[in-house]
Amino acid sequence: MRLTALLLLASAPALAQPRPPRTPGDTLKSPVVGENGVVTFQLYAPKATEVSLRTEGPAPFANQKLVRNEQGVWSATDTVPADLYIYWYDVDGVPVADPRNNATRLNLSTVRSLLEVPGAASDFFAERDVPHGQVATVWYRSTVLGMPRRMQIYTPPGYATSGARYPVFYLLHGAGDDDRSWLMAGRANFILDNLIAAGKAKPMIVVMPNGSVSRAPGTRDPYPESFAQEIVPYVERNFRVLPGRDARAIAGLSMGGGHTLAIALPNLDRYAYVGVFSSGFLGPGGADSVAKAYQGAMSDPRINRLKLLWLATGKEDFILPTTKATLAAFDRNHVRYTYKESEGGHTWPNWRAYLYEFAPQLFR
Amino acid sequence: MRLTALLLLASAPALAQPRPPRTPGDTLKSPVVGENGVVTFQLYAPKATEVSLRTEGPAPFANQKLVRNEQGVWSATDTVPADLYIYWYDVDGVPVADPRNNATRLNLSTVRSLLEVPGAASDFFAERDVPHGQVATVWYRSTVLGMPRRMQIYTPPGYATSGARYPVFYLLHGAGDDDRSWLMAGRANFILDNLIAAGKAKPMIVVMPNGSVSRAPGTRDPYPESFAQEIVPYVERNFRVLPGRDARAIAGLSMGGGHTLAIALPNLDRYAYVGVFSSGFLGPGGADSVAKAYQGAMSDPRINRLKLLWLATGKEDFILPTTKATLAAFDRNHVRYTYKESEGGHTWPNWRAYLYEFAPQLFR
């Protein structure tokens, strides 16, 4: 197989400026995913003295050194269990997204590369041959934050043609991330596609806003206000959502779990399903201190009319004490909840799995 | 200003694995766009021996060398005219997307960084405080191509709430690119938002499919067939488009201009507006040879009932002879067209400007 003649014709002399000489780096493939999870990483770096693999979260190839050949191509081959990995190269101390990989994971400050290894364990978030929802990128002006903002909104298969109204699930990201993260690293759209196709989740709208806010020290986080006054009204004005608390869910990971509690607990008449992934009461003074701010909500009998208050954290997650302190505050206030302690840490494999477990429990 | 306490709390110890030591690269800002177009590029690369800037297309900072300070931070400062630039670093021969810049331009094989310098010249594609359309990412199965495919579909401001039908404009990318390119590098959505807000373009749906196909040597390009059998029906089934040729436009750049001719000329009853950006009759044997395949369409009297056949190419574009040969074929066949020869080459500044000039002429 080769790319089309048109492609070769149009791309070869595409730049008017003088071209640098051709190198193996122009046509290298990386990563190459072969049979049985054998993956080869390759980087053309003729003058580098040391190239290593780096990952976000655990991976068999983490910190492995690449070996250089005569042409200046560095490579490493490993057998990698099925999953989605976030990786980059360390080239003599410079963190480098794989220049030959156009699958990226961007956050607020940097660019990384994605490696998807297919297999049974990655099937639940893979792009499979099932009906797919659409993801709308929407831009709006936030008056509360005083800046342009963007969010991502998943509509389930059939939304465009059904004319029906759907329940809505607000899904919040963690610190340092943005509205794209639940798609790029979380594969939320494919997880929902696969659950809906299997009849395991109700067709629903999933709203992924941008929760990262820059603000002056000592000032209040304006995000919950922007959420209530701008994000929810935008969604309800532009998408066919079912009204009422029983058709409204909210969950988030890490900082987004803190946001979830800050948004949902003072609004028990508005949210019936609440998920807190790898999080708890976050903020200065620790969970016990923050819990005091929510004393009113925790003493409100409506809290036990939530259809679901679901928390999950990994056994190796640094935030586990915060989660436990939050659960203890719930216990002191006789708040009913469901808690799952998974393997692993503060990483995307857990958050993808939590979403896969949480979404089927919604709108039942 | 600082990021929120929540963000600091949640991000600092976010990885369970041992962290590498902190470096200036963890918090560096790049690029820094200051007053009057003064831009500073920065990269932490303590062991590199030479770092240069590279760009796609001309730029004042192209090929400039960065200078290293004692901490291993390389930098270069330049005054840059307002525009959108595609750049990367060459670090000792390794092409590196700016690790501190999360605005990227991806194509089929690599990842680059984007620099937007605001000013009068970039105003037409900037994210301004006007009503914004939405961009839907859609996934579907292509039977013709035998693979999963994705496209991007812009719906104009008000689409979600109006219930109205809209004309549809198919906008095709060039070789080596994909469905995201007209958004990332082309800023098609903001160009349309700005034109519609100013009353210069009709509200319309803009469809950006993926036209890159890998195929065996000597075989026919299956893309026009997939376009007619899969892309158009998907759009017409899932979006509220007006029927009829007068409500249907198509244009493309480079390879996409070749695709446009291949799709529209044999279907003169289906498309009333045709745009060919930096292109012409593309394929083996050159434009004259390919033109023969379209002799039937060029001799068809309906070709002069096209409401618009608009071509544009840059004076320094390598493809200019192809465009000229195509125009000559039109002339031989008494085909009426409009042709614009702009400054510049085979680059995105031209394609953004062509879109800005072409879209207002549609659906009049």
Side-chain angles (χ1 to χ4, degrees), chain A residues 2 4 6 13 17 45 55 99 102 107 110 135 137 139 161 189 213 215 237 282 318, chain B residues 1-2 4 6 13 17 55 94 99 102 107 110 135 137 139 161 189 213 215 237 282 318:
Chain A
R2 62 174 175 88
T4 71
L6 285 179
Q17 60 182 334
T55 63
N102 74 347
N107 64 16
T110 196
V135 176
T137 303
W139 291 264
T161 50
N189 58 316
V213 179
R215 62 188 165 105
R237 203 164 50 234
L282 299 182
F318 75 91
Chain B
M1 298 287 276
R2 61 174 177 86
T4 69
L6 286 179
Q17 60 183 332
T55 63
V94 188
N102 74 345
N107 63 17
T110 193
V135 175
T137 304
W139 291 263
T161 50
N189 59 316
V213 179
R215 62 190 166 107
R237 204 164 50 236
L282 299 182
F318 75 91

mmCIF file of all heavy atoms in Angstrom, chain A residues 2 4 6 13 17 45 55 99 102 107 110 135 137 139 161 189 213 215 237 282 318, chain B residues 1-2 4 6 13 17 55 94 99 102 107 110 135 137 139 161 189 213 215 237 282 318:
data_model
loop_
_atom_site.group_PDB
_atom_site.id
_atom_site.type_symbol
_atom_site.label_atom_id
_atom_site.label_comp_id
_atom_site.label_asym_id
_atom_site.label_seq_id
_atom_site.Cartn_x
_atom_site.Cartn_y
_atom_site.Cartn_z
ATOM 1 N N ARG A 2 0.408 2.259 -0.732
ATOM 2 C CA ARG A 2 1.091 3.542 -0.653
ATOM 3 C C ARG A 2 0.045 4.657 -0.648
ATOM 4 O O ARG A 2 -1.121 4.436 -0.977
ATOM 5 C CB ARG A 2 2.020 3.719 -1.841
ATOM 6 C CG ARG A 2 1.283 3.734 -3.170
ATOM 7 C CD ARG A 2 2.204 4.054 -4.333
ATOM 8 N NE ARG A 2 1.488 3.932 -5.575
ATOM 9 C CZ ARG A 2 0.787 4.915 -6.151
ATOM 10 N NH1 ARG A 2 0.708 6.091 -5.572
ATOM 11 N NH2 ARG A 2 0.159 4.727 -7.281
ATOM 12 N N THR A 4 -1.789 7.977 -2.151
ATOM 13 C CA THR A 4 -2.169 8.186 -3.541
ATOM 14 C C THR A 4 -1.141 9.011 -4.279
ATOM 15 O O THR A 4 -0.366 9.757 -3.707
ATOM 16 C CB THR A 4 -3.504 8.942 -3.630
ATOM 17 O OG1 THR A 4 -3.265 10.275 -3.221
ATOM 18 C CG2 THR A 4 -4.566 8.309 -2.791
ATOM 19 N N LEU A 6 -1.854 11.492 -6.082
ATOM 20 C CA LEU A 6 -2.196 12.886 -5.806
ATOM 21 C C LEU A 6 -1.452 13.389 -4.588
ATOM 22 O O LEU A 6 -0.938 14.495 -4.547
ATOM 23 C CB LEU A 6 -3.702 13.016 -5.523
ATOM 24 C CG LEU A 6 -4.644 12.917 -6.721
ATOM 25 C CD1 LEU A 6 -6.083 13.035 -6.236
ATOM 26 C CD2 LEU A 6 -4.339 14.031 -7.724
ATOM 27 N N PRO A 13 6.722 18.904 -3.016
ATOM 28 C CA PRO A 13 7.343 20.214 -3.063
ATOM 29 C C PRO A 13 6.474 21.280 -2.400
ATOM 30 O O PRO A 13 6.382 22.394 -2.872
ATOM 31 C CB PRO A 13 7.482 20.459 -4.565
ATOM 32 C CG PRO A 13 6.407 19.611 -5.189
ATOM 33 C CD PRO A 13 5.843 18.704 -4.154
ATOM 34 N N GLN A 17 9.828 27.603 0.619
ATOM 35 C CA GLN A 17 11.171 27.845 1.153
ATOM 36 C C GLN A 17 12.084 26.645 0.890
ATOM 37 O O GLN A 17 11.610 25.555 0.639
ATOM 38 C CB GLN A 17 11.089 28.141 2.648
ATOM 39 C CG GLN A 17 10.470 26.984 3.441
ATOM 40 C CD GLN A 17 10.339 27.302 4.917
ATOM 41 O OE1 GLN A 17 11.085 28.102 5.449
ATOM 42 N NE2 GLN A 17 9.386 26.668 5.571
ATOM 43 N N ALA A 45 17.218 10.856 15.827
ATOM 44 C CA ALA A 45 17.871 11.882 16.650
ATOM 45 C C ALA A 45 19.380 11.657 16.543
ATOM 46 O O ALA A 45 20.015 11.119 17.444
ATOM 47 C CB ALA A 45 17.398 11.786 18.098
ATOM 48 N N THR A 55 6.375 8.044 30.611
ATOM 49 C CA THR A 55 4.933 7.803 30.544
ATOM 50 C C THR A 55 4.219 8.534 31.672
ATOM 51 O O THR A 55 4.825 8.848 32.697
ATOM 52 C CB THR A 55 4.593 6.304 30.666
ATOM 53 O OG1 THR A 55 5.011 5.845 31.958
ATOM 54 C CG2 THR A 55 5.272 5.493 29.585
ATOM 55 N N PRO A 99 7.462 12.808 17.295
ATOM 56 C CA PRO A 99 7.194 13.611 16.096
ATOM 57 C C PRO A 99 6.518 12.833 14.977
ATOM 58 O O PRO A 99 6.003 13.447 14.049
ATOM 59 C CB PRO A 99 8.588 14.078 15.639
ATOM 60 C CG PRO A 99 9.586 13.517 16.565
ATOM 61 C CD PRO A 99 8.901 12.628 17.569
ATOM 62 N N ASN A 102 0.620 11.262 15.255
ATOM 63 C CA ASN A 102 -0.335 12.371 15.271
ATOM 64 C C ASN A 102 -1.505 12.134 16.219
ATOM 65 O O ASN A 102 -2.500 12.856 16.157
ATOM 66 C CB ASN A 102 -0.820 12.706 13.855
ATOM 67 C CG ASN A 102 -1.790 11.669 13.340
ATOM 68 O OD1 ASN A 102 -1.920 10.593 13.918
ATOM 69 N ND2 ASN A 102 -2.477 11.989 12.267
ATOM 70 N N ASN A 107 -2.671 18.931 27.334
ATOM 71 C CA ASN A 107 -3.315 19.518 28.513
ATOM 72 C C ASN A 107 -3.002 21.013 28.534
ATOM 73 O O ASN A 107 -2.625 21.575 27.502
ATOM 74 C CB ASN A 107 -2.942 18.774 29.797
ATOM 75 C CG ASN A 107 -1.474 18.876 30.119
ATOM 76 O OD1 ASN A 107 -0.761 19.730 29.576
ATOM 77 N ND2 ASN A 107 -1.006 18.010 30.977
ATOM 78 N N THR A 110 1.195 21.291 27.996
ATOM 79 C CA THR A 110 2.152 20.526 27.198
ATOM 80 C C THR A 110 1.452 19.583 26.226
ATOM 81 O O THR A 110 0.229 19.478 26.203
ATOM 82 C CB THR A 110 3.143 19.761 28.099
ATOM 83 O OG1 THR A 110 4.249 19.349 27.302
ATOM 84 C CG2 THR A 110 2.497 18.560 28.736
ATOM 85 N N VAL A 135 -19.647 14.447 18.702
ATOM 86 C CA VAL A 135 -19.135 15.353 19.740
ATOM 87 C C VAL A 135 -19.116 16.765 19.171
ATOM 88 O O VAL A 135 -18.418 17.036 18.188
ATOM 89 C CB VAL A 135 -17.736 14.951 20.225
ATOM 90 C CG1 VAL A 135 -17.224 15.992 21.234
ATOM 91 C CG2 VAL A 135 -17.769 13.572 20.881
ATOM 92 N N THR A 137 -18.054 20.572 19.443
ATOM 93 C CA THR A 137 -17.218 21.572 20.100
ATOM 94 C C THR A 137 -17.972 22.891 20.013
ATOM 95 O O THR A 137 -18.366 23.301 18.914
ATOM 96 C CB THR A 137 -15.868 21.691 19.377
ATOM 97 O OG1 THR A 137 -15.249 20.406 19.346
ATOM 98 C CG2 THR A 137 -14.959 22.674 20.090
ATOM 99 N N TRP A 139 -18.235 27.072 21.278
ATOM 100 C CA TRP A 139 -17.520 28.244 21.805
ATOM 101 C C TRP A 139 -18.547 29.242 22.312
ATOM 102 O O TRP A 139 -19.578 29.470 21.664
ATOM 103 C CB TRP A 139 -16.697 28.898 20.691
ATOM 104 C CG TRP A 139 -15.529 28.093 20.218
ATOM 105 C CD1 TRP A 139 -14.230 28.218 20.635
ATOM 106 C CD2 TRP A 139 -15.512 27.051 19.220
ATOM 107 N NE1 TRP A 139 -13.427 27.306 19.967
ATOM 108 C CE2 TRP A 139 -14.181 26.580 19.096
ATOM 109 C CE3 TRP A 139 -16.501 26.464 18.427
ATOM 110 C CZ2 TRP A 139 -13.812 25.569 18.209
ATOM 111 C CZ3 TRP A 139 -16.144 25.446 17.550
ATOM 112 C CH2 TRP A 139 -14.820 25.010 17.451
ATOM 113 N N THR A 161 -31.498 12.712 14.564
ATOM 114 C CA THR A 161 -32.699 12.407 13.785
ATOM 115 C C THR A 161 -33.919 12.103 14.652
ATOM 116 O O THR A 161 -35.037 12.065 14.146
ATOM 117 C CB THR A 161 -32.433 11.193 12.869
ATOM 118 O OG1 THR A 161 -31.868 10.140 13.661
ATOM 119 C CG2 THR A 161 -31.450 11.539 11.763
ATOM 120 N N ASN A 189 -16.345 9.410 24.638
ATOM 121 C CA ASN A 189 -17.338 9.198 23.580
ATOM 122 C C ASN A 189 -17.417 7.727 23.174
ATOM 123 O O ASN A 189 -18.502 7.181 23.015
ATOM 124 C CB ASN A 189 -17.036 10.092 22.365
ATOM 125 C CG ASN A 189 -15.656 9.858 21.778
ATOM 126 O OD1 ASN A 189 -14.676 9.752 22.530
ATOM 127 N ND2 ASN A 189 -15.547 9.766 20.472
ATOM 128 N N VAL A 213 -9.413 27.422 35.779
ATOM 129 C CA VAL A 213 -9.587 28.859 35.936
ATOM 130 C C VAL A 213 -8.339 29.434 36.587
ATOM 131 O O VAL A 213 -7.847 28.904 37.571
ATOM 132 C CB VAL A 213 -10.825 29.170 36.816
ATOM 133 C CG1 VAL A 213 -10.986 30.671 36.994
ATOM 134 C CG2 VAL A 213 -12.066 28.538 36.238
ATOM 135 N N ARG A 215 -6.791 32.456 38.699
ATOM 136 C CA ARG A 215 -7.357 33.534 39.533
ATOM 137 C C ARG A 215 -6.348 34.008 40.564
ATOM 138 O O ARG A 215 -5.355 33.334 40.850
ATOM 139 C CB ARG A 215 -8.635 33.081 40.217
ATOM 140 C CG ARG A 215 -8.434 31.911 41.171
ATOM 141 C CD ARG A 215 -9.796 31.389 41.654
ATOM 142 N NE ARG A 215 -9.672 30.085 42.257
ATOM 143 C CZ ARG A 215 -9.727 29.855 43.578
ATOM 144 N NH1 ARG A 215 -9.908 30.834 44.436
ATOM 145 N NH2 ARG A 215 -9.599 28.627 44.050
ATOM 146 N N ARG A 237 -30.336 25.429 26.439
ATOM 147 C CA ARG A 237 -30.849 26.266 25.348
ATOM 148 C C ARG A 237 -30.562 25.628 23.984
ATOM 149 O O ARG A 237 -31.335 25.772 23.057
ATOM 150 C CB ARG A 237 -30.166 27.632 25.431
ATOM 151 C CG ARG A 237 -30.913 28.783 24.774
ATOM 152 C CD ARG A 237 -30.377 30.138 25.246
ATOM 153 N NE ARG A 237 -28.923 30.236 25.153
ATOM 154 C CZ ARG A 237 -28.124 30.557 26.149
ATOM 155 N NH1 ARG A 237 -28.602 30.818 27.358
ATOM 156 N NH2 ARG A 237 -26.821 30.625 25.970
ATOM 157 N N LEU A 282 -11.867 18.925 48.421
ATOM 158 C CA LEU A 282 -10.542 19.468 48.112
ATOM 159 C C LEU A 282 -10.448 20.925 48.524
ATOM 160 O O LEU A 282 -11.400 21.684 48.348
ATOM 161 C CB LEU A 282 -10.264 19.389 46.610
ATOM 162 C CG LEU A 282 -10.253 18.018 45.944
ATOM 163 C CD1 LEU A 282 -9.923 18.158 44.469
ATOM 164 C CD2 LEU A 282 -9.245 17.101 46.624
ATOM 165 N N PHE A 318 -2.415 8.982 45.618
ATOM 166 C CA PHE A 318 -1.963 9.898 46.672
ATOM 167 C C PHE A 318 -3.139 10.580 47.375
ATOM 168 O O PHE A 318 -3.017 11.062 48.491
ATOM 169 C CB PHE A 318 -1.029 10.967 46.090
ATOM 170 C CG PHE A 318 -1.748 12.025 45.296
ATOM 171 C CD1 PHE A 318 -2.204 13.198 45.917
ATOM 172 C CD2 PHE A 318 -2.000 11.845 43.947
ATOM 173 C CE1 PHE A 318 -2.887 14.160 45.184
ATOM 174 C CE2 PHE A 318 -2.683 12.797 43.218
ATOM 175 C CZ PHE A 318 -3.129 13.957 43.844
ATOM 176 N N MET B 1 -1.583 36.550 38.949
ATOM 177 C CA MET B 1 -2.555 35.456 38.786
ATOM 178 C C MET B 1 -1.832 34.117 38.965
ATOM 179 O O MET B 1 -0.712 33.934 38.552
ATOM 180 C CB MET B 1 -3.151 35.494 37.373
ATOM 181 C CG MET B 1 -3.923 36.749 37.043
ATOM 182 S SD MET B 1 -5.519 36.852 37.875
ATOM 183 C CE MET B 1 -6.551 35.874 36.760
ATOM 184 N N ARG B 2 -2.529 33.190 39.558
ATOM 185 C CA ARG B 2 -1.988 31.834 39.640
ATOM 186 C C ARG B 2 -3.124 30.845 39.399
ATOM 187 O O ARG B 2 -4.305 31.220 39.448
ATOM 188 C CB ARG B 2 -1.370 31.579 41.019
ATOM 189 C CG ARG B 2 -2.376 31.696 42.130
ATOM 190 C CD ARG B 2 -1.777 31.309 43.475
ATOM 191 N NE ARG B 2 -2.751 31.504 44.530
ATOM 192 C CZ ARG B 2 -3.649 30.622 44.896
ATOM 193 N NH1 ARG B 2 -3.723 29.455 44.302
ATOM 194 N NH2 ARG B 2 -4.514 30.885 45.867
ATOM 195 N N THR B 4 -5.538 27.783 40.446
ATOM 196 C CA THR B 4 -6.251 27.648 41.714
ATOM 197 C C THR B 4 -5.518 26.722 42.682
ATOM 198 O O THR B 4 -4.727 25.865 42.305
ATOM 199 C CB THR B 4 -7.647 27.046 41.492
ATOM 200 O OG1 THR B 4 -7.463 25.708 41.092
ATOM 201 C CG2 THR B 4 -8.419 27.812 40.453
ATOM 202 N N LEU B 6 -6.887 24.375 44.227
ATOM 203 C CA LEU B 6 -7.314 23.014 43.886
ATOM 204 C C LEU B 6 -6.390 22.403 42.853
ATOM 205 O O LEU B 6 -5.991 21.251 42.953
ATOM 206 C CB LEU B 6 -8.728 23.029 43.292
ATOM 207 C CG LEU B 6 -9.905 23.256 44.228
ATOM 208 C CD1 LEU B 6 -11.196 23.265 43.426
ATOM 209 C CD2 LEU B 6 -9.938 22.173 45.292
ATOM 210 N N PRO B 13 1.320 16.083 43.142
ATOM 211 C CA PRO B 13 1.779 14.690 43.296
ATOM 212 C C PRO B 13 0.968 13.729 42.437
ATOM 213 O O PRO B 13 0.652 12.635 42.878
ATOM 214 C CB PRO B 13 1.534 14.442 44.777
ATOM 215 C CG PRO B 13 0.473 15.435 45.187
ATOM 216 C CD PRO B 13 0.233 16.381 44.064
ATOM 217 N N GLN B 17 4.233 6.997 40.122
ATOM 218 C CA GLN B 17 5.618 6.588 39.888
ATOM 219 C C GLN B 17 6.590 7.687 40.365
ATOM 220 O O GLN B 17 6.198 8.831 40.516
ATOM 221 C CB GLN B 17 5.830 6.312 38.398
ATOM 222 C CG GLN B 17 5.558 7.520 37.512
ATOM 223 C CD GLN B 17 5.708 7.181 36.034
ATOM 224 O OE1 GLN B 17 6.450 6.315 35.677
ATOM 225 N NE2 GLN B 17 5.001 7.909 35.186
ATOM 226 N N THR B 55 9.601 26.444 10.278
ATOM 227 C CA THR B 55 8.216 26.828 10.033
ATOM 228 C C THR B 55 7.699 26.158 8.775
ATOM 229 O O THR B 55 8.477 25.774 7.895
ATOM 230 C CB THR B 55 8.060 28.350 9.847
ATOM 231 O OG1 THR B 55 8.789 28.767 8.682
ATOM 232 C CG2 THR B 55 8.574 29.106 11.057
ATOM 233 N N VAL B 94 16.457 16.810 15.556
ATOM 234 C CA VAL B 94 15.165 16.204 15.887
ATOM 235 C C VAL B 94 14.067 17.265 15.763
ATOM 236 O O VAL B 94 14.148 18.314 16.405
ATOM 237 C CB VAL B 94 15.164 15.638 17.329
ATOM 238 C CG1 VAL B 94 13.883 14.854 17.581
ATOM 239 C CG2 VAL B 94 16.386 14.777 17.566
ATOM 240 N N PRO B 99 7.230 21.748 23.445
ATOM 241 C CA PRO B 99 6.631 20.971 24.533
ATOM 242 C C PRO B 99 5.803 21.826 25.490
ATOM 243 O O PRO B 99 5.030 21.292 26.267
ATOM 244 C CB PRO B 99 7.838 20.371 25.279
ATOM 245 C CG PRO B 99 9.048 20.831 24.586
ATOM 246 C CD PRO B 99 8.693 21.787 23.502
ATOM 247 N N ASN B 102 0.324 24.013 23.939
ATOM 248 C CA ASN B 102 -0.718 23.001 23.706
ATOM 249 C C ASN B 102 -1.621 23.354 22.521
ATOM 250 O O ASN B 102 -2.672 22.740 22.343
ATOM 251 C CB ASN B 102 -1.541 22.745 24.968
ATOM 252 C CG ASN B 102 -2.498 23.885 25.266
ATOM 253 O OD1 ASN B 102 -2.385 24.980 24.715
ATOM 254 N ND2 ASN B 102 -3.423 23.646 26.162
ATOM 255 N N ASN B 107 -1.002 16.584 11.346
ATOM 256 C CA ASN B 107 -1.421 16.057 10.051
ATOM 257 C C ASN B 107 -1.274 14.541 10.085
ATOM 258 O O ASN B 107 -1.208 13.949 11.178
ATOM 259 C CB ASN B 107 -0.709 16.732 8.884
ATOM 260 C CG ASN B 107 0.783 16.497 8.911
ATOM 261 O OD1 ASN B 107 1.266 15.595 9.594
ATOM 262 N ND2 ASN B 107 1.502 17.301 8.171
ATOM 263 N N THR B 110 2.662 13.837 11.527
ATOM 264 C CA THR B 110 3.481 14.490 12.531
ATOM 265 C C THR B 110 2.684 15.521 13.335
ATOM 266 O O THR B 110 1.507 15.741 13.097
ATOM 267 C CB THR B 110 4.720 15.153 11.878
ATOM 268 O OG1 THR B 110 5.646 15.516 12.905
ATOM 269 C CG2 THR B 110 4.337 16.384 11.090
ATOM 270 N N VAL B 135 -18.913 22.909 16.058
ATOM 271 C CA VAL B 135 -18.280 21.950 15.149
ATOM 272 C C VAL B 135 -18.525 20.544 15.686
ATOM 273 O O VAL B 135 -18.093 20.221 16.796
ATOM 274 C CB VAL B 135 -16.777 22.204 14.976
ATOM 275 C CG1 VAL B 135 -16.162 21.106 14.108
ATOM 276 C CG2 VAL B 135 -16.525 23.568 14.339
ATOM 277 N N THR B 137 -17.819 16.650 15.621
ATOM 278 C CA THR B 137 -16.968 15.555 15.167
ATOM 279 C C THR B 137 -17.849 14.322 15.069
ATOM 280 O O THR B 137 -18.522 13.974 16.038
ATOM 281 C CB THR B 137 -15.822 15.314 16.152
ATOM 282 O OG1 THR B 137 -15.091 16.528 16.322
ATOM 283 C CG2 THR B 137 -14.885 14.215 15.658
ATOM 284 N N TRP B 139 -18.271 10.167 13.717
ATOM 285 C CA TRP B 139 -17.576 8.938 13.352
ATOM 286 C C TRP B 139 -18.555 8.038 12.619
ATOM 287 O O TRP B 139 -19.714 7.919 13.016
ATOM 288 C CB TRP B 139 -17.078 8.213 14.617
ATOM 289 C CG TRP B 139 -15.972 8.896 15.333
ATOM 290 C CD1 TRP B 139 -14.640 8.629 15.230
ATOM 291 C CD2 TRP B 139 -16.081 9.949 16.311
ATOM 292 N NE1 TRP B 139 -13.913 9.453 16.072
ATOM 293 C CE2 TRP B 139 -14.757 10.280 16.738
ATOM 294 C CE3 TRP B 139 -17.137 10.669 16.864
ATOM 295 C CZ2 TRP B 139 -14.486 11.269 17.679
ATOM 296 C CZ3 TRP B 139 -16.869 11.657 17.798
ATOM 297 C CH2 TRP B 139 -15.556 11.946 18.195
ATOM 298 N N THR B 161 -31.150 25.913 17.483
ATOM 299 C CA THR B 161 -32.447 26.358 17.979
ATOM 300 C C THR B 161 -33.419 26.771 16.881
ATOM 301 O O THR B 161 -34.599 26.931 17.146
ATOM 302 C CB THR B 161 -32.267 27.542 18.949
ATOM 303 O OG1 THR B 161 -31.425 28.524 18.314
ATOM 304 C CG2 THR B 161 -31.588 27.098 20.233
ATOM 305 N N ASN B 189 -13.877 27.513 11.058
ATOM 306 C CA ASN B 189 -15.056 27.839 11.871
ATOM 307 C C ASN B 189 -15.078 29.306 12.263
ATOM 308 O O ASN B 189 -16.109 29.975 12.180
ATOM 309 C CB ASN B 189 -15.125 26.931 13.103
ATOM 310 C CG ASN B 189 -13.901 27.052 13.996
ATOM 311 O OD1 ASN B 189 -12.772 27.073 13.497
ATOM 312 N ND2 ASN B 189 -14.079 27.152 15.298
ATOM 313 N N VAL B 213 -6.541 8.748 1.539
ATOM 314 C CA VAL B 213 -6.823 7.325 1.334
ATOM 315 C C VAL B 213 -5.525 6.627 0.973
ATOM 316 O O VAL B 213 -4.779 7.098 0.123
ATOM 317 C CB VAL B 213 -7.837 7.120 0.190
ATOM 318 C CG1 VAL B 213 -8.110 5.650 -0.033
ATOM 319 C CG2 VAL B 213 -9.127 7.873 0.468
ATOM 320 N N ARG B 215 -3.873 3.452 -0.795
ATOM 321 C CA ARG B 215 -4.335 2.435 -1.757
ATOM 322 C C ARG B 215 -3.160 1.844 -2.534
ATOM 323 O O ARG B 215 -2.076 2.431 -2.576
ATOM 324 C CB ARG B 215 -5.372 3.014 -2.716
ATOM 325 C CG ARG B 215 -4.841 4.146 -3.570
ATOM 326 C CD ARG B 215 -5.988 4.833 -4.315
ATOM 327 N NE ARG B 215 -5.569 6.093 -4.876
ATOM 328 C CZ ARG B 215 -5.354 6.299 -6.175
ATOM 329 N NH1 ARG B 215 -5.487 5.323 -7.051
ATOM 330 N NH2 ARG B 215 -4.987 7.492 -6.608
ATOM 331 N N ARG B 237 -28.689 12.996 6.025
ATOM 332 C CA ARG B 237 -29.512 12.239 6.975
ATOM 333 C C ARG B 237 -29.469 12.853 8.374
ATOM 334 O O ARG B 237 -30.435 12.787 9.121
ATOM 335 C CB ARG B 237 -28.981 10.793 7.023
ATOM 336 C CG ARG B 237 -29.969 9.748 7.465
ATOM 337 C CD ARG B 237 -29.500 8.335 7.122
ATOM 338 N NE ARG B 237 -28.132 8.084 7.556
ATOM 339 C CZ ARG B 237 -27.145 7.678 6.745
ATOM 340 N NH1 ARG B 237 -27.363 7.479 5.450
ATOM 341 N NH2 ARG B 237 -25.932 7.469 7.219
ATOM 342 N N LEU B 282 -5.259 17.312 -11.221
ATOM 343 C CA LEU B 282 -4.101 16.635 -10.632
ATOM 344 C C LEU B 282 -4.076 15.171 -11.022
ATOM 345 O O LEU B 282 -5.118 14.528 -11.074
ATOM 346 C CB LEU B 282 -4.157 16.708 -9.105
ATOM 347 C CG LEU B 282 -4.141 18.082 -8.448
ATOM 348 C CD1 LEU B 282 -4.154 17.911 -6.935
ATOM 349 C CD2 LEU B 282 -2.918 18.876 -8.882
ATOM 350 N N PHE B 318 4.323 26.254 -6.310
ATOM 351 C CA PHE B 318 4.886 25.275 -7.250
ATOM 352 C C PHE B 318 3.835 24.711 -8.183
ATOM 353 O O PHE B 318 4.143 24.197 -9.258
ATOM 354 C CB PHE B 318 5.555 24.111 -6.486
ATOM 355 C CG PHE B 318 4.576 23.156 -5.889
ATOM 356 C CD1 PHE B 318 4.134 22.039 -6.600
ATOM 357 C CD2 PHE B 318 4.056 23.362 -4.610
ATOM 358 C CE1 PHE B 318 3.214 21.162 -6.059
ATOM 359 C CE2 PHE B 318 3.126 22.499 -4.067
ATOM 360 C CZ PHE B 318 2.709 21.391 -4.798
#
